[in-house]
Each structure stands twice: as C-alpha cells, then as structure tokens.
C-alpha cells in the first residue's frame, strides 16, 4: 500500500518508536510527535519476553538489548514470608530467543537511536498533540510546542501511541482509563551496595507472593542494579520504607532485605483502559496501539510486549493490505483476541499470586507437583509468538 504523506505517530514511547521502526523496515515513512523535550529515564525495569524480542531481532536491535539487559532462564515464584521457592517457571525459548530484564531507559535509548539513524522517520520532540478533527483530506492535528507555539499538521493516518491517558482517545470522546484499585511502589538498588544475600536472591527474576499483594525483583542495567516493584491495593497507606517493609514481609527474609536496601519508593497508581475501547477511530483515519489501546495490569509483564507486537502486526498489515481500511481491520482482528487472552492471563496471575491461606497451600502444592516443562508448555502460546514475515 502506498502513502502520499508520512504516517503520523503520537508518542515516542515503546509503542510509538517500535511502530515507526517497523514501518521503516517495510519502506513506509512516518513522523513521530512527542510532548517530552527529551526521552529521559521513565519508570524503572521491564521484563521483555521472547515474543517481544523476536520483533527486536527483526529490527536488528536484539544484540544491543542483550548488552544492556540481563538474560533470565527462569522466573522464580517464592513465598514472600518464608522465602521458600514455590516454582521455577522456565522462560527461555526453544528457538534461542532470550527473556531479558532491562532498564526502561535502556530500551527507549536503543529504540530512539535506531529511529534517529532511520531516514524514513522524522522525530519532533517537545511537540504535544492538543486537538484533532477530521477534514475532507484526512485529519487536522493541533500541536503545541515547548515554547507554547501552536502549529497544525495534516495526515492521512494517525497512530495513537500516547499511552494509557491517550489524548487521541479523549478527542474521540472514548471513556477514559480507570484506576484499577492497585498501586505499584517502585524502588531500585545499586548492586555495588547490595549484600551477597541480596545479590544471590536477585540473580534471576523473582516474584514474592503474599495475600493481596506481591513483589517482583530482577537485575537491570547489565546487572549493575536491581529493580524492585511492590504491588498492593491503593488504599491510603504510607509509602515509607519501614511501613512498606512491615506490610510486605517479616524482617530478616529476602524481601525485607531488598526493601530496606532500596531505601525509597515512588508510587505508581495502576490504571487500565476499558476492555471494550474501540481501536479504530475517525473512519479509519486513526487507530490506537500500545497502552492507548489496551493498558493492562502488569501481572503478566506483557504491556510493553503487546505494544511491540502491535507495531509489527500493524506495519505488516499496512504493507500488504490493499487499502487503509482493510489494513486497520486486519490489525484489529489479529491483535484483539491475543490481547484479550493476555489480559485474562494477567487476571489469573493476580488471583493466584494474591491467594489467602488456606487456599495458598493448595496453590503451593499444585506448583510443587507441576513439572517445570508443564509450566513452560502452559505459556507456549504467549512466548512462542512470532511476528509476521
Ligand atoms: C509497574 C509496572 C511494571 C510493568 N512491567 C512490565 C514488564 O515487565 N513487561 C512489559 O512488557 N510491560 C510492563 N509494563 C507495561 C509497560 O510499561 C507499558 O505497557 C508500556 O510502557 C506502554 O508503552 P506505550 O508506548 O504504549 O505508552 P507510554 O510508555 O505511556 O508512552 C506514551 C508516550 O506518548 C507521549 N504522549 C502522551 N500524550 C501525548 C500528546 N498529547 N502529544 C504527544 N506525545 C504524547 C508520552 O510522553 C509518552 O512518551 C509495566 C507497567 C507497570 C506500571
């Protein structure tokens, strides 16, 4: 399919940058507008599973990500109170694609530098979409720059990669993202300051399970730091280290050591987009990708992975389908069923991770009796996904 003008992408997050790179790989030009002046460190760590990393391999970026991240062979599930290992879930793919834990800033840097090298991508930082309206020849976008100048841009097709609080969705009068009732507390530990017990406890991705809450720890920044996320209900609870430690873990165990070593925590209230949110807007002149389409709870560690898959599927559809409407329809049909399945999986993890006693005893027994291979096979539909050729 031919485009007379570059496709306009709103947002230079993981979804926006991967979409632009996937389009460029298929010879389609794009222009990204991003409200931030610079793509600075946002958030903390991310797990990137093989399904997402196959897209990165196709874009020629896997080696850089492997250098910046840390390879995991298993995800360990532990009892938060006793530190007992409940299960080892193998996450290495049979085709050799790794499972990485990585700093978000490293992922964003690798994507951003690749986009800068690409002639088919124009990047406008410090440029915020404030309004849009359909016109006969496409869509007319109103932008505000960092210096409060206004400008307008016309496009035939807009890809909204502007995150869970999408401005494009708001302009289309869609129901906004809603609070999930959960909050994530984000902390980080410098490995140089960590005790050997902490280093051993976090050599692989570890989830600590407890009633109504859980924590996840893993190495990032090529192993120089540990990312720690504590997730619980978002009632009015203090976020000081001592208060978090007493809610999450008795003193003297692995998780308590991690919480104290982290020192301070940043709150991150978790919002989700409505599951029935339409993705095709303004008579197929705009569509949603990434968190703008399907912001979900991070219990399956798949939000960014789904954004990355979206990018590969959308670029393929726009390249091979005869017209815009069929391309966008193909994108939505392919993606929606998979994203819904991932959402259900995240809901299942939430239920299982947060089980109270005595139900957690049953869970622990089932996990102990499940061969590692069976756990791997149960996730094959997720991790073995391959991008369209
Ligand atoms: C605690 C936590 C842990 C997580 N862990 C994982 C994990 O391990 N693995 C995983 O795959 N996912 C994980 N996720 C999910 C993942 O972080 C998100 O799914 C992913 O970052 C979404 O990327 P995005 O590009 O769609 O949105 P964003 O990262 O929100 O990017 C949106 C971009 O659009 C820009 N923008 C917004 N509005 C405008 C506007 N009006 N004009 C111009 N630009 C605009 C923003 O500045 C931003 O750069 C986690 C999420 C949380 C909260």
């Amino acid at each position: 399919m031919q485009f007379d003008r570059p496709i306009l992408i709103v947002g230079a997050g993981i979804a926006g940058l991967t979409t632009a790179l996937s389009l460029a790989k298929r010879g389609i030009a794009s222009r990204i507008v991003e409200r931030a002046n610079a793509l600075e460190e946002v958030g903390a760590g991310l797990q990137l599973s093989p399904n997402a990393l196959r897209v990165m391999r196709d874009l020629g970026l896997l080696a850089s990500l492997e250098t910046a991240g840390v390879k995991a062979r298993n995800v360990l599930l532990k009892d938060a109170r006793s530190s007992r290992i409940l299960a080892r879930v193998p996450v290495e793919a049979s085709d050799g694609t790794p499972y990485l834990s990585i700093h978000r800033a490293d992922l964003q840097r690798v994507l951003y530098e690749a986009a800068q090298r690409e002639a088919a991508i124009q990047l406008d930082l410090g440029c915020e979409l404030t309004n849009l309206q359909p016109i006969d020849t496409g869509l007319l976008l109103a932008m505000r720059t960092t210096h409060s100048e206004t400008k307008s841009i016309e496009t035939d097709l807009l890809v909204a990669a502007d995150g869970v609080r999408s401005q494009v969705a708001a302009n289309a009068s869609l129901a906004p993202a809603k609070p999930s009732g959960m909050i994530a507390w984000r902390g980080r530990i410098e490995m140089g300051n960590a005790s050997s017990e902490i280093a051993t406890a976090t050599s692989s991705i570890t989830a600590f399970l407890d009633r109504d809450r859980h924590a996840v720890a893993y190495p990032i920044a090529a192993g120089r730091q540990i990312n720690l996320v504590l997730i619980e209900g978002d009632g009015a609870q203090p976020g000081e280290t001592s208060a978090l430690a007493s809610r999450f873990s008795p003193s003297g165990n692995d998780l308590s050591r991690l919480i104290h070593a982290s020192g301070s925590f940043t709150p991150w209230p978790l919002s989700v987009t409505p599951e029935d949110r339409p993705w095709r807007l303004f008579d197929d002149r705009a569509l949603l990708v990434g968190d703008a389409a399907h912001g979900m709870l991070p219990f399956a560690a798949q939000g960014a992975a789904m954004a990355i898959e979206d990018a590969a599927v959308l670029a393929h559809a726009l390249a091979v389908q005869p017209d815009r409407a069929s391309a966008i329809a193909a994108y939505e049909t392919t993606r929606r069923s998979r994203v819904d399945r991932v959402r259900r999986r995240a809901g299942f993890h939430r239920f299982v991770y947060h089980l109270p006693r005595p139900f957690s005893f049953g869970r622990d027994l089932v996990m102990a009796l499940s061969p590692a291979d069976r756990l791997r096979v149960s996730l094959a539909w997720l991790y073995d996904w391959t991008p369209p050729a």
Side-chain angles (χ1 to χ4, degrees), residues 10-17 33-36 39 42 45-49 52 99 104 108 127-130 143 161-168 184-186 218 229 231 268-270 289-298 300-308:
V10 183
I14 296 164
L17 288 168
V33 292
E34 164 58 52
R35 70 178 166 201
L39 298 183
V42 277
L46 273 180
Q47 300 173 50
L48 285 180
S49 47
Y99 190 111
R104 276 165 196 270
Q108 193 132 4
C127 193
E128 179 178 13
L129 172 82
T130 54
M143 315 294 304
D162 52 348
V164 73
R165 269 170 274 283
S166 168
Q167 176 66 39
V168 175
W185 300 96
R186 292 177 293 129
Y218 47 82
V229 183
I231 296 184
W268 189 341
L270 301 174
V289 296
D291 274 11
H294 45 66
M296 61 180 77
L297 285 172
Q302 283 294 316
M306 290 301 106
I308 290 167

Side-chain angles (χ1 to χ4, degrees), residues 22-102:
S22 301
L23 290 170
K25 180 178 153 250
R26 294 181 186 274
I28 302 173
S30 66
R31 177 177 182 182
I32 308 181
V33 292
E34 164 58 52
R35 70 178 166 201
N37 280 328
L39 298 183
E40 287 161 345
E41 185 173 312
V42 277
L46 273 180
Q47 300 173 50
L48 285 180
S49 47
N51 46 315
L53 289 176
R54 285 188 196 96
V55 176
M56 294 299 157
R57 173 178 288 151
D58 286 356
L59 295 174
L61 303 178
L62 182 57
S64 307
L65 295 175
E66 283 179 316
T67 306
V70 177
K71 277 188 201 177
R73 300 187 62 191
N74 300 290
V75 171
L76 293 186
L77 303 181
K78 283 189 178 179
D79 181 302
R81 310 247 141 212
S82 66
S83 306
R84 188 164 53 90
I85 295 177
L86 304 172
R88 272 173 215 276
V89 184
V91 289
E92 271 179 330
S94 49
D95 68 354
T97 312
Y99 190 111
L100 294 180
S101 52
I102 191 165

Side-chain angles (χ1 to χ4, degrees), residues 148-364:
S148 297
E149 292 156 0
T150 53
K151 59 179 175 181
S152 51
I153 305 176
E154 261 191 54
T155 187
D156 300 319
L157 178 60
L158 179 152
V159 177
D162 52 348
V164 73
R165 269 170 274 283
S166 168
Q167 176 66 39
V168 175
N171 275 105
S173 305
L174 303 187
K178 44 183 194 279
S180 67
M182 308 292 298
I183 189 168
W185 300 96
R186 292 177 293 129
R188 220 183 312 160
I189 301 157
E190 292 299 327
M191 202 59 115
N193 304 335
S195 66
S196 58
E197 284 159 314
I198 286 181
T200 310
T202 53
S203 56
S204 54
I205 299 168
T206 308
F208 298 88
L209 315 189
D210 201 357
R211 177 186 183 151
D212 295 335
R213 51 175 55 87
H214 77 281
V216 184
Y218 47 82
I220 54 172
R224 292 187 306 278
Q225 296 173 346
I226 299 161
N227 180 67
L228 177 62
V229 183
L230 313 174
I231 296 184
E232 62 178 346
D234 66 357
Q237 295 163 328
E240 289 83 30
T241 305
S242 55
L244 285 167
S246 69
R247 290 204 297 280
F248 272 83
S249 196
S251 61
N253 71 4
D254 286 352
L255 181 54
S256 148
R257 274 191 279 274
L258 281 165
I259 293 173
H260 285 289
S262 175
S264 63
F265 287 85
T266 312
W268 189 341
L270 301 174
S271 298
V272 291
T273 50
E275 292 186 17
D276 59 357
R277 168 173 282 187
W279 295 0
R280 300 164 62 179
L281 308 174
F282 303 110
D283 291 329
D284 286 333
R285 294 179 184 123
L287 71 134
L288 305 177
V289 296
D291 274 11
H294 45 66
M296 61 180 77
L297 285 172
F299 290 79
Q302 283 294 316
M306 290 301 106
I308 290 167
E309 288 188 9
D310 286 351
V313 171
L314 176 62
H316 174 260
L318 288 170
V320 304
Q321 293 290 335
D323 55 59
R324 196 177 61 204
S326 358
I328 297 176
Y331 159 75
E332 179 170 26
T333 308
T334 312
R335 296 301 301 147
R336 203 176 264 282
S337 53
R338 180 160 167 87
V339 166
D340 286 347
R341 191 169 180 190
V342 170
R343 268 208 194 98
R344 288 197 296 276
R345 182 75 195 195
F348 172 70
H349 284 191
R350 176 182 183 169
F351 172 74
V352 170
Y353 285 10
H354 293 183
L355 274 175
R357 289 178 180 174
F359 305 107
S360 61
F361 294 132
R363 171 200 67 198
D364 299 351

Side-chain angles (χ1 to χ4, degrees), residues 15 107 146 288 333 378 381:
L107 171 61
T146 321
L288 305 177
T333 308
S378 74
W381 65 272

